Amino acid sequence: MTRRRILVSLLGLALAAASVAAFVAASAAGSAHAAKATRNLSANASGKLRFSVKTIRAPKGKVTLVMRNPRGSGIPHAVSVKGKGIDKEGRTVDPGGTSRVSATLKKGTYTFYCPVDGHEDGGMKGKLIVS
């Protein structure tokens, strides 16, 4: 083999290795964008129509909200999410229970709320910011 052919072959191998490295890096970045996030909150323990937080932040991808309904709340609650074409409701639970809702979300602002009649209008809602 001539020196030139060896150099061309080595250059080809280096380019192939760089392409594989770029592909692996892009795949890893894509996986980060499809992240899964779980955020915890609770209903107000004294029975007020409020959540323990007013704003939740999460990365885009599958987001799960887990809401604990404390025994002291005295009334059923649930957690749901809506906005940008999404409207998913978690199961309504009695005091002592846990409600969950999951949705695959794009970047943007959504509303998390309690879907029990009158609870959202009474103030049981917050902002979910997905980035």
Side-chain angles (χ1 to χ4, degrees):
M1 237 183 182
T2 66
R3 189 176 282 179
R4 180 181 170 144
R5 283 188 118 169
I6 292 172
L7 288 175
V8 169
S9 295
L10 289 175
L11 181 59
L13 285 173
L15 287 173
S19 294
V20 169
F23 176 78
V24 169
S27 295
S31 297
H33 289 288
K36 294 180 183 178
T38 299
R39 299 295 184 260
N40 297 298
L41 64 154
S42 66
N44 183 278
S46 65
K48 293 180 183 173
L49 296 180
R50 302 278 183 267
F51 285 114
S52 59
V53 295
K54 291 186 178 196
T55 303
I56 296 173
R57 296 182 184 277
K60 71 180 182 178
K62 184 177 179 182
V63 177
T64 300
L65 302 180
V66 179
M67 184 218 62
R68 187 177 58 82
N69 188 5
R71 294 197 187 281
S73 75
I75 52 178
H77 291 297
V79 65
S80 299
V81 64
K82 65 182 177 181
K84 300 178 97 34
I86 301 287
D87 192 1
K88 301 215 54 176
E89 288 190 10
R91 184 173 58 94
T92 300
V93 296
D94 289 326
T98 300
S99 178
R100 289 176 177 77
V101 65
S102 294
T104 300
L105 305 176
K106 297 177 182 178
K107 289 182 180 183
T109 301
Y110 300 81
T111 299
F112 65 92
Y113 66 101
C114 179
V116 174
D117 285 343
H119 289 204
E120 180 181 9
D121 289 338
M124 199 164 185
K125 61 185 171 185
K127 189 184 300 186
L128 171 58
I129 301 169
V130 178
S131 56

